[in-house]
Amino acid sequence: MPTQTRAPQLASAGKALLLPMAIDCLVLGAGQEVGKSCAVVTINGKRIMFDCGMHMGYLDRRRYPDFSRVAPDGDFDGALDCVVITHFHLDHVGALPYFTEVCGYRGPIYMTYPTKALAPLMLEDYRKVMVERRGEEEQFTTENIADCMKKVIAVDLKQTVQVDSELQIRAYYAGHVIGAAMFYAKVGDSALVYTGDYNMTPDRHLGAAQIDRLQLDLLITESTYATTVRDSKYTREREFLMAVHKCVAGGGKVLIPTFALGRAQELCMLLDDYWERMNLNVPIYFSAVMSLRPCTVLHDTCKVGFKHEGEYYNGCYKLPTCFLTA
Ligand SMILES: [Zn+2]
């Protein structure tokens, strides 16, 4: 879906198209679907790949973005100035080891520190489930994941990174999951923002997305739940807590299947808070190994402090006691 900005006036004037500020956007995934986020934007001659995701619904070649459209001759280093990853979810980072280790991209890759810490866990977990449990053909190895992550340059939020003399990028807090960022990119007098997933409602372990007032020529934004009206957070949480309490009060056990990264931590904090208020001492256990490492990342990052107020965890994170009972 190539799009260009600032061209119509010139085109309608019937003159030769000189597009000093042309922006071209090649959407390789997540254009009209959920999954496989990957948008390649050319801005003032610089070419940036935003996200390099995998589609979880396909096992064939549709699982990955069609990288041949980025560089038909396979020269990805010549075709791209950098790759930017917004967060660790596989629909945003799942194709990255394939792109670097199998397709051979060797250029710079940027993501935040927590994303760099957690993305390899997600990728390895996915690889194990697909290859070792389901017997699928291996797309990338454990070594591929490690080699890929070595190429990643970690960035801080609000840190202006000069990719080269003309292209600069900056990450902004996106909420959604630990480490998630929206990225601003500027080349000369043209600028854009690519959001990835973001959340405007703070929860217990993450704050709301924050961004400066910026002058942009293009905004590419996540819109998966844009038209969905949900029950209020308060109502959903109350119903959940009532159901859990009723079960344990009757001597039952509650099994909660949940995403290991982010959701598990949020539910633990919700339960820990409720347990304290209601003076309950029924033990809470983690069964997922995947949940423990993120807790360590959260805890370590809290201990080293925040470079900017309201960063990755909105400065309000506390380690619930139930995290320690795994
Ligand atoms: Zn996400």
Side-chain angles (χ1 to χ4, degrees):
M1 188 193 76
T3 57
Q4 290 189 330
T5 60
R6 306 217 174 170
Q9 304 93 314
L10 289 170
S12 62
K15 293 176 182 161
L17 283 178
L18 292 170
L19 301 173
M21 293 177 68
I23 299 179
D24 181 89
C25 184
L26 175 65
V27 179
L28 294 181
Q32 292 188 331
E33 60 185 348
V34 176
K36 199 168 69 177
S37 287
C38 186
V40 178
V41 181
T42 309
I43 174 169
N44 271 350
K46 296 290 172 182
R47 211 159 180 224
I48 310 159
M49 178 184 283
F50 290 97
D51 281 333
C52 191
M54 164 192 289
H55 200 301
M56 307 299 283
Y58 298 121
L59 290 174
D60 55 22
R61 60 178 180 76
R62 290 172 295 175
R63 180 172 5 187
Y64 294 137
D66 182 359
F67 294 121
S68 68
R69 295 179 65 197
V70 179
D73 59 356
D75 178 15
F76 296 107
D77 296 350
L80 291 172
D81 290 282
C82 70
V83 173
V84 169
I85 302 293
T86 56
H87 63 290
F88 63 68
H89 279 157
L90 291 177
D91 54 336
H92 294 258
V93 72
L96 190 63
Y98 180 82
F99 189 47
T100 60
E101 306 314 305
V102 180
C103 299
Y105 172 71
R106 293 284 177 277
I109 303 161
Y110 297 94
M111 60 181 75
T112 63
Y113 282 93
T115 302
K116 185 175 180 182
L118 294 169
L121 299 186
M122 294 293 281
L123 291 162
E124 178 58 19
D125 187 63
Y126 170 80
R127 194 201 63 76
K128 263 193 195 153
V129 170
M130 295 307 284
V131 177
E132 293 173 18
R133 286 200 210 150
R134 294 200 198 161
E136 296 291 334
E137 190 189 337
E138 189 165 70
Q139 300 290 316
F140 47 77
T141 63
T142 302
E143 291 72 42
N144 285 159
I145 296 170
D147 291 343
C148 168
M149 296 317 292
K150 279 182 204 154
K151 300 179 175 88
V152 169
I153 303 162
V155 300
D156 262 318
L157 295 174
K158 294 187 183 169
Q159 174 193 354
T160 300
V161 176
Q162 206 70 45
V163 177
D164 58 34
S165 59
E166 294 161 78
L167 168 61
Q168 60 174 235
I169 59 168
R170 200 181 309 138
Y172 287 96
Y173 185 81
H176 182 54
V177 290
I178 175 175
M182 307 176 283
F183 276 88
Y184 167 76
K186 184 172 188 290
V187 185
D189 55 1
S190 299
L192 70 105
V193 161
Y194 174 91
T195 69
D197 296 310
Y198 64 98
N199 192 356
M200 297 305 298
T201 314
D203 59 26
R204 281 170 178 73
H205 76 300
L206 297 169
Q210 295 171 339
I211 195 160
D212 291 337
R213 199 175 276 265
L214 299 162
Q215 186 113 29
L216 301 178
D217 297 283
L218 175 67
L219 170 68
I220 301 175
T221 181
E222 171 69 29
S223 58
T224 307
Y225 295 110
T227 55
T228 305
V229 180
R230 289 169 156 176
D231 283 345
S232 79
K233 193 166 134 61
Y234 174 79
T235 308
R236 280 182 286 138
E237 289 183 352
R238 195 166 173 278
E239 278 173 10
F240 169 75
L241 290 169
M242 291 301 110
V244 171
H245 194 171
K246 190 177 166 196
C247 182
V248 295
K253 292 180 174 61
V254 181
L255 188 64
I256 307 170
T258 184
F259 292 116
L261 298 188
R263 199 75 202 131
Q265 289 75 15
E266 179 68 13
L267 288 179
C268 271
M269 296 179 87
L270 177 65
L271 288 168
D272 190 58
D273 190 40
Y274 184 75
W275 254 226
E276 208 172 292
R277 273 190 285 127
M278 302 304 286
N279 219 5
L280 296 172
N281 48 25
V282 177
I284 301 171
Y285 296 97
F286 265 140
S287 64
V289 177
M290 278 279 282
S291 303
L292 298 174
R293 169 95 173 109
C295 292
T296 311
V297 173
L298 281 160
H299 197 214
D300 287 352
T301 314
C302 286
K303 278 194 295 190
V304 299
F306 306 100
K307 286 195 177 155
H308 305 284
E309 192 187 342
E311 268 198 4
Y312 302 116
Y313 323 107
N314 208 30
C316 64
Y317 182 80
K318 77 181 174 81
L319 193 70
T321 49
C322 59
F323 276 30
L324 306 173
T325 62

